[in-house]
Amino acid sequence: MMIQPDWVQEAWDQTKAKVKRISRRIGDGFPHASVNGEYQLEQPSWWTAGFWPGILWLVYRDTKDNDLKEAAESCERQLDALLTDSEMVDHDIGFMWTLTSGARYKLLGSEDSKKRALLAANLLAARFNIQGNYIRAWNGEHMAGWAIIDCLMNLPLLYWASSVTGDPRYKHIAVKHADTVLQQFYRPDGSVAHIIVFDPETGEKLEVKGGQGYSPESAWSRGTAWAIYGMSLSYHYTGNQHYLDAAKRTAHFFLANLPEDQVPTWDFRTPQGKSSVRDSSAGACAACGLLLLADQVDGLEAEMYLKSGEKILHSLYMNYGAWDSEAEEGLILHGTSHFPEQKNVDVPLIYGDYYFVEGISILKGVKERFW
Ligand code: GLY
């Protein structure tokens, strides 16, 4: 049984109070990065649209605060127009509907949310390239062959769709994509590439791209976190040992490369002195993956993953949390969205906040995840 460390209740209380406070301004908006203390709001089509409603549901699950529920439901409804416009969405359909319709269906059993999430799963499944066995990441003619590591976190929507419909085709697509990630993105040391370009006609692997990492050979820390959590989720849904082994391998690579305060730099493999800029969002996401791994193994191994996840979340709470400042809407400071393009570097990010809140709720003893 998980024993709750003393600081966890305090962190959860701070989280609930802050989410309630910032919800008064953000309401049913779609925050992404906090600049000068205020979350910038995006269009519902931006890939991060699920994270704020996801936070609202995580807090609502505990508090039953109706204002938070209504804001989350309004966010979900605003995504509806995208379900009939496949040019407006990309593979991040998974992130977007898992944390809106998927979460509402899991919490409230709402049939309208189930229908929306299934429509979203159909859109995601339609992005599968049968020649290359990958889910296409982005739109635009020149990107028909691009697949990215982040997509592992979109697969739970497909696994879920198979489980509620009884139709295994969604799961088959998820498994084919996850197998391609093992074969093409994984390196022997457990680190992963960000972008792989395939020939969309033949499925042949053409190129590795650095993407949001420093270079094609480097180790972008958020991509590493997507792989830890994504592979452990694929193991959760399939029981395929290869996915568990891969999640562990990446977890060990991640943990071995953490600085003393347990929060990763934006890329683990940059030339000496190039950058020590952190990405707290990678730490928060990896921590959630480590907590899932802890449930998937036994004994000392489970304890090691649990303690590792706890240590990251504790450091985020103590050293990166913006709890005292009324002038900052972000929960967790020092996230990095896109270092190579210098976009939203060293700022709070809504997905960092989301995974922090999810991680604390798990340490509080909640077992059910929205993924
Ligand atoms: N999925 C995009 C990112 O991690 O920034």
Side-chain angles (χ1 to χ4, degrees), residues 221-222 225-226 228 254-255 258 262-265 268 278-290 308-313 316 332 334-335 351-352 355-356 359:
S221 60
R222 194 161 59 256
W226 296 141
I228 298 171
F254 190 95
L255 294 171
L258 286 180
Q262 305 298 306
V263 175
T265 53
F268 291 122
R278 300 304 166 102
D279 178 13
S280 54
S281 76
C285 174
C288 292
L290 291 164
S308 306
E310 264 177 30
K311 275 201 308 204
I312 295 172
L313 291 166
L316 290 173
I332 301 297
H334 308 302
Y351 32 98
Y355 287 105
F356 176 80

PDB file of all heavy atoms in Angstrom, residues 221-222 225-226 228 254-255 258 262-265 268 278-290 308-313 316 332 334-335 351-352 355-356 359:
ATOM      1  N   SER A 221      14.105  16.062 -23.444  1.00  0.00           N
ATOM      2  CA  SER A 221      13.628  15.447 -22.188  1.00  0.00           C
ATOM      3  C   SER A 221      12.116  15.230 -22.176  1.00  0.00           C
ATOM      4  O   SER A 221      11.643  14.237 -21.615  1.00  0.00           O
ATOM      5  CB  SER A 221      14.075  16.257 -20.969  1.00  0.00           C
ATOM      6  OG  SER A 221      13.566  17.572 -21.015  1.00  0.00           O
ATOM      7  N   ARG A 222      11.335  16.140 -22.792  1.00  0.00           N
ATOM      8  CA  ARG A 222       9.887  15.883 -22.762  1.00  0.00           C
ATOM      9  C   ARG A 222       9.538  14.679 -23.649  1.00  0.00           C
ATOM     10  O   ARG A 222       8.660  13.888 -23.314  1.00  0.00           O
ATOM     11  CB  ARG A 222       9.060  17.102 -23.142  1.00  0.00           C
ATOM     12  CG  ARG A 222       7.596  16.905 -22.766  1.00  0.00           C
ATOM     13  CD  ARG A 222       6.759  18.167 -22.680  1.00  0.00           C
ATOM     14  NE  ARG A 222       6.714  18.930 -23.895  1.00  0.00           N
ATOM     15  CZ  ARG A 222       7.377  20.055 -24.118  1.00  0.00           C
ATOM     16  NH1 ARG A 222       8.161  20.559 -23.176  1.00  0.00           N
ATOM     17  NH2 ARG A 222       7.297  20.683 -25.262  1.00  0.00           N
ATOM     18  N   ALA A 225      10.089  11.790 -21.617  1.00  0.00           N
ATOM     19  CA  ALA A 225       8.966  11.600 -20.677  1.00  0.00           C
ATOM     20  C   ALA A 225       7.741  11.022 -21.381  1.00  0.00           C
ATOM     21  O   ALA A 225       7.074  10.124 -20.859  1.00  0.00           O
ATOM     22  CB  ALA A 225       8.616  12.933 -20.023  1.00  0.00           C
ATOM     23  N   TRP A 226       7.454  11.517 -22.604  1.00  0.00           N
ATOM     24  CA  TRP A 226       6.313  10.943 -23.350  1.00  0.00           C
ATOM     25  C   TRP A 226       6.524   9.443 -23.517  1.00  0.00           C
ATOM     26  O   TRP A 226       5.577   8.656 -23.461  1.00  0.00           O
ATOM     27  CB  TRP A 226       6.158  11.573 -24.723  1.00  0.00           C
ATOM     28  CG  TRP A 226       5.818  13.036 -24.861  1.00  0.00           C
ATOM     29  CD1 TRP A 226       6.337  13.897 -25.793  1.00  0.00           C
ATOM     30  CD2 TRP A 226       4.864  13.824 -24.105  1.00  0.00           C
ATOM     31  NE1 TRP A 226       5.772  15.153 -25.660  1.00  0.00           N
ATOM     32  CE2 TRP A 226       4.869  15.138 -24.631  1.00  0.00           C
ATOM     33  CE3 TRP A 226       4.024  13.530 -23.030  1.00  0.00           C
ATOM     34  CZ2 TRP A 226       4.060  16.163 -24.117  1.00  0.00           C
ATOM     35  CZ3 TRP A 226       3.230  14.551 -22.523  1.00  0.00           C
ATOM     36  CH2 TRP A 226       3.246  15.852 -23.061  1.00  0.00           C
ATOM     37  N   ILE A 228       8.340   7.319 -21.593  1.00  0.00           N
ATOM     38  CA  ILE A 228       8.176   6.563 -20.333  1.00  0.00           C
ATOM     39  C   ILE A 228       6.691   6.323 -20.062  1.00  0.00           C
ATOM     40  O   ILE A 228       6.241   5.197 -19.868  1.00  0.00           O
ATOM     41  CB  ILE A 228       8.773   7.343 -19.126  1.00  0.00           C
ATOM     42  CG1 ILE A 228      10.265   7.558 -19.287  1.00  0.00           C
ATOM     43  CG2 ILE A 228       8.469   6.610 -17.810  1.00  0.00           C
ATOM     44  CD1 ILE A 228      10.857   8.512 -18.248  1.00  0.00           C
ATOM     45  N   PHE A 254      16.290   8.356 -18.168  1.00  0.00           N
ATOM     46  CA  PHE A 254      15.802   9.653 -17.658  1.00  0.00           C
ATOM     47  C   PHE A 254      16.372   9.903 -16.259  1.00  0.00           C
ATOM     48  O   PHE A 254      16.969  10.955 -15.987  1.00  0.00           O
ATOM     49  CB  PHE A 254      14.270   9.609 -17.615  1.00  0.00           C
ATOM     50  CG  PHE A 254      13.594  10.921 -17.343  1.00  0.00           C
ATOM     51  CD1 PHE A 254      13.134  11.720 -18.383  1.00  0.00           C
ATOM     52  CD2 PHE A 254      13.387  11.362 -16.040  1.00  0.00           C
ATOM     53  CE1 PHE A 254      12.487  12.933 -18.138  1.00  0.00           C
ATOM     54  CE2 PHE A 254      12.736  12.565 -15.789  1.00  0.00           C
ATOM     55  CZ  PHE A 254      12.296  13.347 -16.845  1.00  0.00           C
ATOM     56  N   LEU A 255      16.230   8.908 -15.392  1.00  0.00           N
ATOM     57  CA  LEU A 255      16.655   9.097 -13.988  1.00  0.00           C
ATOM     58  C   LEU A 255      18.163   9.290 -13.890  1.00  0.00           C
ATOM     59  O   LEU A 255      18.640  10.103 -13.094  1.00  0.00           O
ATOM     60  CB  LEU A 255      16.209   7.902 -13.134  1.00  0.00           C
ATOM     61  CG  LEU A 255      14.681   7.759 -12.972  1.00  0.00           C
ATOM     62  CD1 LEU A 255      14.310   6.435 -12.315  1.00  0.00           C
ATOM     63  CD2 LEU A 255      14.119   8.935 -12.163  1.00  0.00           C
ATOM     64  N   LEU A 258      19.172  12.996 -14.568  1.00  0.00           N
ATOM     65  CA  LEU A 258      18.576  14.127 -13.841  1.00  0.00           C
ATOM     66  C   LEU A 258      19.632  14.902 -13.057  1.00  0.00           C
ATOM     67  O   LEU A 258      20.518  14.303 -12.451  1.00  0.00           O
ATOM     68  CB  LEU A 258      17.512  13.618 -12.858  1.00  0.00           C
ATOM     69  CG  LEU A 258      16.193  13.164 -13.446  1.00  0.00           C
ATOM     70  CD1 LEU A 258      15.261  12.682 -12.343  1.00  0.00           C
ATOM     71  CD2 LEU A 258      15.528  14.279 -14.252  1.00  0.00           C
ATOM     72  N   GLN A 262      16.460  16.961  -9.405  1.00  0.00           N
ATOM     73  CA  GLN A 262      15.488  15.991  -9.958  1.00  0.00           C
ATOM     74  C   GLN A 262      14.605  16.534 -11.081  1.00  0.00           C
ATOM     75  O   GLN A 262      13.655  15.873 -11.502  1.00  0.00           O
ATOM     76  CB  GLN A 262      14.564  15.426  -8.857  1.00  0.00           C
ATOM     77  CG  GLN A 262      15.284  14.807  -7.690  1.00  0.00           C
ATOM     78  CD  GLN A 262      16.119  13.620  -8.118  1.00  0.00           C
ATOM     79  OE1 GLN A 262      15.607  12.696  -8.744  1.00  0.00           O
ATOM     80  NE2 GLN A 262      17.412  13.636  -7.836  1.00  0.00           N
ATOM     81  N   VAL A 263      14.880  17.732 -11.543  1.00  0.00           N
ATOM     82  CA  VAL A 263      14.055  18.309 -12.621  1.00  0.00           C
ATOM     83  C   VAL A 263      14.936  18.461 -13.861  1.00  0.00           C
ATOM     84  O   VAL A 263      15.985  19.103 -13.804  1.00  0.00           O
ATOM     85  CB  VAL A 263      13.447  19.658 -12.174  1.00  0.00           C
ATOM     86  CG1 VAL A 263      12.703  20.327 -13.321  1.00  0.00           C
ATOM     87  CG2 VAL A 263      12.505  19.421 -11.003  1.00  0.00           C
ATOM     88  N   PRO A 264      14.508  17.848 -14.982  1.00  0.00           N
ATOM     89  CA  PRO A 264      15.398  17.737 -16.148  1.00  0.00           C
ATOM     90  C   PRO A 264      15.695  19.056 -16.866  1.00  0.00           C
ATOM     91  O   PRO A 264      14.885  19.983 -16.838  1.00  0.00           O
ATOM     92  CB  PRO A 264      14.610  16.817 -17.094  1.00  0.00           C
ATOM     93  CG  PRO A 264      13.192  16.960 -16.689  1.00  0.00           C
ATOM     94  CD  PRO A 264      13.188  17.224 -15.212  1.00  0.00           C
ATOM     95  N   THR A 265      16.850  19.074 -17.513  1.00  0.00           N
ATOM     96  CA  THR A 265      17.098  20.130 -18.496  1.00  0.00           C
ATOM     97  C   THR A 265      16.238  19.819 -19.728  1.00  0.00           C
ATOM     98  O   THR A 265      15.705  18.722 -19.858  1.00  0.00           O
ATOM     99  CB  THR A 265      18.586  20.146 -18.903  1.00  0.00           C
ATOM    100  OG1 THR A 265      18.946  18.824 -19.311  1.00  0.00           O
ATOM    101  CG2 THR A 265      19.466  20.580 -17.736  1.00  0.00           C
ATOM    102  N   PHE A 268      18.711  16.225 -22.649  1.00  0.00           N
ATOM    103  CA  PHE A 268      19.745  15.589 -21.823  1.00  0.00           C
ATOM    104  C   PHE A 268      21.090  15.513 -22.528  1.00  0.00           C
ATOM    105  O   PHE A 268      22.090  15.177 -21.917  1.00  0.00           O
ATOM    106  CB  PHE A 268      19.325  14.159 -21.467  1.00  0.00           C
ATOM    107  CG  PHE A 268      18.160  14.079 -20.522  1.00  0.00           C
ATOM    108  CD1 PHE A 268      17.005  13.391 -20.885  1.00  0.00           C
ATOM    109  CD2 PHE A 268      18.212  14.668 -19.262  1.00  0.00           C
ATOM    110  CE1 PHE A 268      15.943  13.287 -20.011  1.00  0.00           C
ATOM    111  CE2 PHE A 268      17.143  14.576 -18.372  1.00  0.00           C
ATOM    112  CZ  PHE A 268      16.005  13.877 -18.754  1.00  0.00           C
ATOM    113  N   ARG A 278      15.790  24.421 -17.811  1.00  0.00           N
ATOM    114  CA  ARG A 278      14.999  23.267 -17.385  1.00  0.00           C
ATOM    115  C   ARG A 278      13.721  23.134 -18.213  1.00  0.00           C
ATOM    116  O   ARG A 278      13.263  24.101 -18.822  1.00  0.00           O
ATOM    117  CB  ARG A 278      14.601  23.414 -15.905  1.00  0.00           C
ATOM    118  CG  ARG A 278      15.753  23.518 -14.937  1.00  0.00           C
ATOM    119  CD  ARG A 278      16.657  22.330 -15.090  1.00  0.00           C
ATOM    120  NE  ARG A 278      17.908  22.582 -14.409  1.00  0.00           N
ATOM    121  CZ  ARG A 278      18.221  22.086 -13.218  1.00  0.00           C
ATOM    122  NH1 ARG A 278      17.374  21.319 -12.575  1.00  0.00           N
ATOM    123  NH2 ARG A 278      19.393  22.347 -12.683  1.00  0.00           N
ATOM    124  N   ASP A 279      13.166  21.928 -18.160  1.00  0.00           N
ATOM    125  CA  ASP A 279      11.786  21.756 -18.598  1.00  0.00           C
ATOM    126  C   ASP A 279      11.036  21.001 -17.500  1.00  0.00           C
ATOM    127  O   ASP A 279      11.045  19.760 -17.462  1.00  0.00           O
ATOM    128  CB  ASP A 279      11.691  21.009 -19.932  1.00  0.00           C
ATOM    129  CG  ASP A 279      10.227  20.818 -20.337  1.00  0.00           C
ATOM    130  OD1 ASP A 279       9.350  21.474 -19.705  1.00  0.00           O
ATOM    131  OD2 ASP A 279       9.944  20.013 -21.232  1.00  0.00           O
ATOM    132  N   SER A 280      10.407  21.780 -16.635  1.00  0.00           N
ATOM    133  CA  SER A 280       9.679  21.169 -15.515  1.00  0.00           C
ATOM    134  C   SER A 280       8.537  20.286 -16.014  1.00  0.00           C
ATOM    135  O   SER A 280       8.158  19.320 -15.346  1.00  0.00           O
ATOM    136  CB  SER A 280       9.157  22.255 -14.576  1.00  0.00           C
ATOM    137  OG  SER A 280       8.379  23.201 -15.294  1.00  0.00           O
ATOM    138  N   SER A 281       7.973  20.587 -17.196  1.00  0.00           N
ATOM    139  CA  SER A 281       6.853  19.779 -17.701  1.00  0.00           C
ATOM    140  C   SER A 281       7.319  18.346 -17.988  1.00  0.00           C
ATOM    141  O   SER A 281       6.558  17.387 -17.790  1.00  0.00           O
ATOM    142  CB  SER A 281       6.232  20.408 -18.953  1.00  0.00           C
ATOM    143  OG  SER A 281       7.015  20.203 -20.100  1.00  0.00           O
ATOM    144  N   ALA A 282       8.564  18.204 -18.445  1.00  0.00           N
ATOM    145  CA  ALA A 282       9.096  16.855 -18.689  1.00  0.00           C
ATOM    146  C   ALA A 282       9.201  16.099 -17.369  1.00  0.00           C
ATOM    147  O   ALA A 282       8.903  14.899 -17.294  1.00  0.00           O
ATOM    148  CB  ALA A 282      10.464  16.943 -19.369  1.00  0.00           C
ATOM    149  N   GLY A 283       9.607  16.804 -16.318  1.00  0.00           N
ATOM    150  CA  GLY A 283       9.701  16.163 -15.008  1.00  0.00           C
ATOM    151  C   GLY A 283       8.334  15.700 -14.527  1.00  0.00           C
ATOM    152  O   GLY A 283       8.175  14.576 -14.030  1.00  0.00           O
ATOM    153  N   ALA A 284       7.326  16.561 -14.679  1.00  0.00           N
ATOM    154  CA  ALA A 284       5.989  16.220 -14.180  1.00  0.00           C
ATOM    155  C   ALA A 284       5.408  15.034 -14.934  1.00  0.00           C
ATOM    156  O   ALA A 284       4.830  14.113 -14.339  1.00  0.00           O
ATOM    157  CB  ALA A 284       5.072  17.438 -14.306  1.00  0.00           C
ATOM    158  N   CYS A 285       5.574  15.029 -16.274  1.00  0.00           N
ATOM    159  CA  CYS A 285       5.038  13.926 -17.075  1.00  0.00           C
ATOM    160  C   CYS A 285       5.765  12.620 -16.746  1.00  0.00           C
ATOM    161  O   CYS A 285       5.143  11.568 -16.558  1.00  0.00           O
ATOM    162  CB  CYS A 285       5.164  14.257 -18.564  1.00  0.00           C
ATOM    163  SG  CYS A 285       4.698  12.885 -19.617  1.00  0.00           S
ATOM    164  N   ALA A 286       7.109  12.696 -16.656  1.00  0.00           N
ATOM    165  CA  ALA A 286       7.873  11.480 -16.337  1.00  0.00           C
ATOM    166  C   ALA A 286       7.467  10.937 -14.971  1.00  0.00           C
ATOM    167  O   ALA A 286       7.359   9.717 -14.784  1.00  0.00           O
ATOM    168  CB  ALA A 286       9.369  11.780 -16.371  1.00  0.00           C
ATOM    169  N   ALA A 287       7.212  11.840 -14.020  1.00  0.00           N
ATOM    170  CA  ALA A 287       6.834  11.383 -12.671  1.00  0.00           C
ATOM    171  C   ALA A 287       5.550  10.557 -12.740  1.00  0.00           C
ATOM    172  O   ALA A 287       5.441   9.512 -12.089  1.00  0.00           O
ATOM    173  CB  ALA A 287       6.654  12.584 -11.746  1.00  0.00           C
ATOM    174  N   CYS A 288       4.582  11.001 -13.555  1.00  0.00           N
ATOM    175  CA  CYS A 288       3.331  10.233 -13.681  1.00  0.00           C
ATOM    176  C   CYS A 288       3.605   8.861 -14.301  1.00  0.00           C
ATOM    177  O   CYS A 288       2.997   7.855 -13.906  1.00  0.00           O
ATOM    178  CB  CYS A 288       2.310  11.002 -14.517  1.00  0.00           C
ATOM    179  SG  CYS A 288       1.712  12.485 -13.690  1.00  0.00           S
ATOM    180  N   GLY A 289       4.511   8.818 -15.267  1.00  0.00           N
ATOM    181  CA  GLY A 289       4.888   7.536 -15.860  1.00  0.00           C
ATOM    182  C   GLY A 289       5.571   6.633 -14.836  1.00  0.00           C
ATOM    183  O   GLY A 289       5.298   5.422 -14.770  1.00  0.00           O
ATOM    184  N   LEU A 290       6.442   7.207 -14.017  1.00  0.00           N
ATOM    185  CA  LEU A 290       7.149   6.415 -13.002  1.00  0.00           C
ATOM    186  C   LEU A 290       6.157   5.856 -11.973  1.00  0.00           C
ATOM    187  O   LEU A 290       6.289   4.713 -11.527  1.00  0.00           O
ATOM    188  CB  LEU A 290       8.207   7.274 -12.304  1.00  0.00           C
ATOM    189  CG  LEU A 290       9.409   7.662 -13.188  1.00  0.00           C
ATOM    190  CD1 LEU A 290      10.190   8.818 -12.569  1.00  0.00           C
ATOM    191  CD2 LEU A 290      10.320   6.453 -13.407  1.00  0.00           C
ATOM    192  N   SER A 308      11.202   7.497  -6.975  1.00  0.00           N
ATOM    193  CA  SER A 308      11.742   8.394  -8.017  1.00  0.00           C
ATOM    194  C   SER A 308      10.684   9.387  -8.474  1.00  0.00           C
ATOM    195  O   SER A 308      10.954  10.579  -8.634  1.00  0.00           O
ATOM    196  CB  SER A 308      12.225   7.604  -9.233  1.00  0.00           C
ATOM    197  OG  SER A 308      13.127   6.617  -8.854  1.00  0.00           O
ATOM    198  N   GLY A 309       9.454   8.885  -8.680  1.00  0.00           N
ATOM    199  CA  GLY A 309       8.362   9.778  -9.080  1.00  0.00           C
ATOM    200  C   GLY A 309       8.056  10.794  -7.989  1.00  0.00           C
ATOM    201  O   GLY A 309       7.872  11.981  -8.251  1.00  0.00           O
ATOM    202  N   GLU A 310       8.020  10.305  -6.766  1.00  0.00           N
ATOM    203  CA  GLU A 310       7.753  11.192  -5.614  1.00  0.00           C
ATOM    204  C   GLU A 310       8.797  12.294  -5.500  1.00  0.00           C
ATOM    205  O   GLU A 310       8.473  13.455  -5.245  1.00  0.00           O
ATOM    206  CB  GLU A 310       7.817  10.379  -4.318  1.00  0.00           C
ATOM    207  CG  GLU A 310       6.506   9.894  -3.804  1.00  0.00           C
ATOM    208  CD  GLU A 310       6.714   9.038  -2.560  1.00  0.00           C
ATOM    209  OE1 GLU A 310       7.684   9.252  -1.804  1.00  0.00           O
ATOM    210  OE2 GLU A 310       5.900   8.148  -2.368  1.00  0.00           O
ATOM    211  N   LYS A 311      10.051  11.893  -5.687  1.00  0.00           N
ATOM    212  CA  LYS A 311      11.141  12.883  -5.535  1.00  0.00           C
ATOM    213  C   LYS A 311      11.014  14.014  -6.560  1.00  0.00           C
ATOM    214  O   LYS A 311      11.224  15.180  -6.265  1.00  0.00           O
ATOM    215  CB  LYS A 311      12.513  12.192  -5.685  1.00  0.00           C
ATOM    216  CG  LYS A 311      12.975  11.596  -4.377  1.00  0.00           C
ATOM    217  CD  LYS A 311      14.453  11.343  -4.243  1.00  0.00           C
ATOM    218  CE  LYS A 311      15.138  10.585  -5.287  1.00  0.00           C
ATOM    219  NZ  LYS A 311      16.350   9.883  -4.998  1.00  0.00           N
ATOM    220  N   ILE A 312      10.657  13.643  -7.790  1.00  0.00           N
ATOM    221  CA  ILE A 312      10.483  14.678  -8.824  1.00  0.00           C
ATOM    222  C   ILE A 312       9.335  15.601  -8.430  1.00  0.00           C
ATOM    223  O   ILE A 312       9.461  16.833  -8.456  1.00  0.00           O
ATOM    224  CB  ILE A 312      10.214  14.038 -10.207  1.00  0.00           C
ATOM    225  CG1 ILE A 312      11.424  13.244 -10.672  1.00  0.00           C
ATOM    226  CG2 ILE A 312       9.868  15.122 -11.241  1.00  0.00           C
ATOM    227  CD1 ILE A 312      11.194  12.420 -11.937  1.00  0.00           C
ATOM    228  N   LEU A 313       8.210  15.023  -8.051  1.00  0.00           N
ATOM    229  CA  LEU A 313       7.033  15.848  -7.709  1.00  0.00           C
ATOM    230  C   LEU A 313       7.307  16.708  -6.478  1.00  0.00           C
ATOM    231  O   LEU A 313       6.875  17.864  -6.406  1.00  0.00           O
ATOM    232  CB  LEU A 313       5.809  14.953  -7.481  1.00  0.00           C
ATOM    233  CG  LEU A 313       5.283  14.286  -8.756  1.00  0.00           C
ATOM    234  CD1 LEU A 313       4.311  13.152  -8.434  1.00  0.00           C
ATOM    235  CD2 LEU A 313       4.602  15.308  -9.672  1.00  0.00           C
ATOM    236  N   LEU A 316       9.387  19.591  -7.620  1.00  0.00           N
ATOM    237  CA  LEU A 316       8.538  20.550  -8.367  1.00  0.00           C
ATOM    238  C   LEU A 316       7.704  21.371  -7.388  1.00  0.00           C
ATOM    239  O   LEU A 316       7.555  22.581  -7.546  1.00  0.00           O
ATOM    240  CB  LEU A 316       7.617  19.808  -9.348  1.00  0.00           C
ATOM    241  CG  LEU A 316       8.306  19.161 -10.549  1.00  0.00           C
ATOM    242  CD1 LEU A 316       7.311  18.314 -11.340  1.00  0.00           C
ATOM    243  CD2 LEU A 316       8.940  20.207 -11.466  1.00  0.00           C
ATOM    244  N   ILE A 332       3.462  25.590 -11.893  1.00  0.00           N
ATOM    245  CA  ILE A 332       4.842  25.121 -11.859  1.00  0.00           C
ATOM    246  C   ILE A 332       5.691  25.964 -12.825  1.00  0.00           C
ATOM    247  O   ILE A 332       5.389  26.036 -14.019  1.00  0.00           O
ATOM    248  CB  ILE A 332       4.903  23.618 -12.276  1.00  0.00           C
ATOM    249  CG1 ILE A 332       4.052  22.765 -11.320  1.00  0.00           C
ATOM    250  CG2 ILE A 332       6.334  23.108 -12.316  1.00  0.00           C
ATOM    251  CD1 ILE A 332       4.503  22.757  -9.886  1.00  0.00           C
ATOM    252  N   HIS A 334       9.280  27.309 -14.834  1.00  0.00           N
ATOM    253  CA  HIS A 334      10.439  26.773 -15.556  1.00  0.00           C
ATOM    254  C   HIS A 334      10.133  25.588 -16.481  1.00  0.00           C
ATOM    255  O   HIS A 334      10.830  24.569 -16.458  1.00  0.00           O
ATOM    256  CB  HIS A 334      11.573  26.395 -14.586  1.00  0.00           C
ATOM    257  CG  HIS A 334      11.945  27.502 -13.659  1.00  0.00           C
ATOM    258  ND1 HIS A 334      12.363  28.740 -14.116  1.00  0.00           N
ATOM    259  CD2 HIS A 334      11.927  27.576 -12.304  1.00  0.00           C
ATOM    260  CE1 HIS A 334      12.594  29.521 -13.067  1.00  0.00           C
ATOM    261  NE2 HIS A 334      12.340  28.856 -11.967  1.00  0.00           N
ATOM    262  N   GLY A 335       9.076  25.735 -17.269  1.00  0.00           N
ATOM    263  CA  GLY A 335       8.847  24.768 -18.334  1.00  0.00           C
ATOM    264  C   GLY A 335       9.420  25.321 -19.633  1.00  0.00           C
ATOM    265  O   GLY A 335       9.596  26.533 -19.788  1.00  0.00           O
ATOM    266  N   TYR A 351       0.648  21.932 -19.679  1.00  0.00           N
ATOM    267  CA  TYR A 351       0.809  20.477 -19.543  1.00  0.00           C
ATOM    268  C   TYR A 351       1.711  20.133 -18.364  1.00  0.00           C
ATOM    269  O   TYR A 351       1.537  19.089 -17.735  1.00  0.00           O
ATOM    270  CB  TYR A 351       1.288  19.799 -20.831  1.00  0.00           C
ATOM    271  CG  TYR A 351       2.203  20.617 -21.710  1.00  0.00           C
ATOM    272  CD1 TYR A 351       3.581  20.449 -21.650  1.00  0.00           C
ATOM    273  CD2 TYR A 351       1.698  21.544 -22.606  1.00  0.00           C
ATOM    274  CE1 TYR A 351       4.427  21.183 -22.465  1.00  0.00           C
ATOM    275  CE2 TYR A 351       2.536  22.290 -23.415  1.00  0.00           C
ATOM    276  CZ  TYR A 351       3.901  22.108 -23.336  1.00  0.00           C
ATOM    277  OH  TYR A 351       4.737  22.859 -24.135  1.00  0.00           O
ATOM    278  N   GLY A 352       2.675  21.004 -18.041  1.00  0.00           N
ATOM    279  CA  GLY A 352       3.462  20.787 -16.821  1.00  0.00           C
ATOM    280  C   GLY A 352       2.546  20.848 -15.610  1.00  0.00           C
ATOM    281  O   GLY A 352       2.603  19.996 -14.714  1.00  0.00           O
ATOM    282  N   TYR A 355       0.282  17.603 -15.500  1.00  0.00           N
ATOM    283  CA  TYR A 355       0.898  16.361 -14.999  1.00  0.00           C
ATOM    284  C   TYR A 355       1.281  16.493 -13.527  1.00  0.00           C
ATOM    285  O   TYR A 355       1.258  15.507 -12.782  1.00  0.00           O
ATOM    286  CB  TYR A 355       2.098  15.947 -15.869  1.00  0.00           C
ATOM    287  CG  TYR A 355       1.634  15.408 -17.204  1.00  0.00           C
ATOM    288  CD1 TYR A 355       1.750  16.168 -18.367  1.00  0.00           C
ATOM    289  CD2 TYR A 355       1.020  14.169 -17.294  1.00  0.00           C
ATOM    290  CE1 TYR A 355       1.278  15.696 -19.584  1.00  0.00           C
ATOM    291  CE2 TYR A 355       0.550  13.682 -18.502  1.00  0.00           C
ATOM    292  CZ  TYR A 355       0.685  14.455 -19.648  1.00  0.00           C
ATOM    293  OH  TYR A 355       0.203  13.971 -20.838  1.00  0.00           O
ATOM    294  N   PHE A 356       1.616  17.708 -13.084  1.00  0.00           N
ATOM    295  CA  PHE A 356       1.859  17.891 -11.656  1.00  0.00           C
ATOM    296  C   PHE A 356       0.587  17.560 -10.871  1.00  0.00           C
ATOM    297  O   PHE A 356       0.622  16.794  -9.904  1.00  0.00           O
ATOM    298  CB  PHE A 356       2.318  19.324 -11.355  1.00  0.00           C
ATOM    299  CG  PHE A 356       2.483  19.584  -9.889  1.00  0.00           C
ATOM    300  CD1 PHE A 356       3.624  19.159  -9.213  1.00  0.00           C
ATOM    301  CD2 PHE A 356       1.479  20.224  -9.164  1.00  0.00           C
ATOM    302  CE1 PHE A 356       3.754  19.362  -7.843  1.00  0.00           C
ATOM    303  CE2 PHE A 356       1.611  20.428  -7.799  1.00  0.00           C
ATOM    304  CZ  PHE A 356       2.749  19.999  -7.137  1.00  0.00           C
ATOM    305  N   GLY A 359      -0.091  13.891 -10.931  1.00  0.00           N
ATOM    306  CA  GLY A 359       0.864  13.170 -10.080  1.00  0.00           C
ATOM    307  C   GLY A 359       0.507  13.296  -8.605  1.00  0.00           C
ATOM    308  O   GLY A 359       0.522  12.306  -7.860  1.00  0.00           O
TER     309      GLY A 359
END
